[in-house]
Amino acid sequence: AQSVSQHNHHVILSEAASLELGCNYSYGGTVNLFWYVQYPGQHLQLLLKYFSGDPLVKGIKGFEAEFIKSKFSFNLRKPSVQWSDTAEYFCATRPTDSWGKLQFGAGTQVVVTP
Amino acid sequence: DGGITQSPKYLFRKEGQNVTLSCEQNLNHDAMYWYRQDPGQGLRLIYYSQIVNDFQKGDIAEGYSVSREKKESFPLTVTSAQKNPTAFYLCASSATGSEKLFFGSGTQLSVL
């Protein structure tokens, strides 16, 4: 069975601090990996994705994520956060042989204080 | 203005009652999805449809039913068999083979 685990439910940090959100998945086959973000009052939107190739992927707004196959992880990072990064972040996986089954983690609520 | 429209925003269900949540998209997407969001559990896939007149069960399909008679519409019925229906329901769509899902604004369902 496919599952996605996010390590933290809530993260509070100050502007300019570095952010790293953990994500681990379990699945017997190959998966595609995603991070979605939901800003306050807005819809969920795609932040970045990994399909193949360079395991370090860059997304919008200065975010990046690294796929470590041996650890089944896809952690999200940003070197210096801004107040506007306050949002809920969801890690998601999808088996490569079943593109419809996009599975989400529980989400991490990130609050950036001025 | 293209997008996904879910209605109603809030819905109340009485015990033993079936209710239907509406989802309409004008993005010309072939694929549509229904997710349920509970606090601390993220989004769980209920049903998805890759094309008109076809749909598959997700991880928590029991107590739910869907139809896909039109490309633009993917209504979800929460039946009386769903014993814990109180949740936030999100509809999404995507172009065929695309990983980028577009989400609606959701429907909060509560049981009276």
Side-chain angles (χ1 to χ4, degrees):
Chain A
Q2 181 188 358
S3 70
V4 183
S5 174
Q6 291 185 237
H7 304 165
N8 309 95
H9 291 300
H10 294 93
V11 172
I12 301 174
L13 59 166
S14 302
E15 277 191 311
S18 64
L19 172 70
E20 180 161 0
L21 302 181
C23 174
N24 286 90
Y25 69 93
S26 65
Y27 184 67
T30 308
V31 296
N32 301 137
L33 297 152
F34 311 86
W35 277 96
Y36 276 79
V37 60
Q38 187 169 25
Y39 297 103
Q42 296 187 27
H43 299 179
L44 269 162
Q45 56 185 288
L46 182 65
L47 192 58
L48 49 77
K49 63 187 179 185
Y50 173 78
F51 277 25
S52 63
D54 188 345
L56 184 63
V57 293
K58 296 189 184 299
I60 59 173
K61 303 187 180 185
F63 284 91
E64 63 181 30
E66 184 175 14
F67 171 52
I68 302 179
K69 189 174 182 179
S70 60
K71 295 185 178 180
F72 298 91
S73 69
F74 190 55
N75 293 355
L76 180 71
R77 298 194 293 251
K78 185 169 183 178
S80 177
V81 295
Q82 302 171 313
W83 175 78
S84 59
D85 293 321
T86 294
E88 189 157 17
Y89 294 82
F90 294 90
C91 182
T93 66
R94 182 187 69 194
T96 55
D97 57 357
S98 181
W99 67 265
K101 297 198 77 173
L102 185 66
Q103 178 134 5
F104 289 83
T108 298
Q109 180 65 53
V110 174
V111 175
V112 180
T113 60
Chain B
D1 200 16
I4 300 178
T5 302
Q6 289 187 241
S7 62
K9 193 169 183 178
Y10 300 96
L11 187 59
F12 297 91
R13 192 191 91 166
K14 295 180 182 178
E15 293 285 345
Q17 187 181 43
N18 292 355
V19 291
T20 298
L21 284 62
S22 169
C23 178
E24 303 277 331
Q25 54 98 0
N26 61 5
L27 300 168
N28 201 34
H29 286 166
D30 286 311
M32 297 187 75
Y33 314 79
W34 274 106
Y35 285 90
R36 169 180 169 143
Q37 187 174 18
D38 296 277
Q41 295 193 51
L43 282 72
R44 292 182 289 169
L45 183 63
I46 305 173
Y47 269 98
Y48 64 102
S49 168
Q50 297 177 326
I51 199 167
V52 174
N53 292 322
D54 184 59
F55 49 82
Q56 286 81 41
K57 293 182 179 180
D59 299 316
I60 55 165
E62 186 175 349
Y64 300 97
S65 65
V66 293
S67 62
R68 188 83 190 278
E69 297 176 1
K70 298 186 300 182
K71 187 176 185 178
E72 305 80 26
S73 179
F74 191 42
L76 173 74
T77 297
V78 184
T79 74
S80 57
Q82 173 49 244
K83 298 307 177 188
N84 185 23
T86 296
F88 189 64
Y89 291 86
L90 279 166
C91 178
S93 71
S94 69
T96 301
S98 172
E99 73 288 351
K100 188 171 183 178
L101 268 62
F102 291 79
F103 285 85
S105 55
T107 294
Q108 176 64 52
L109 175 64
S110 302
V111 176
L112 294 176

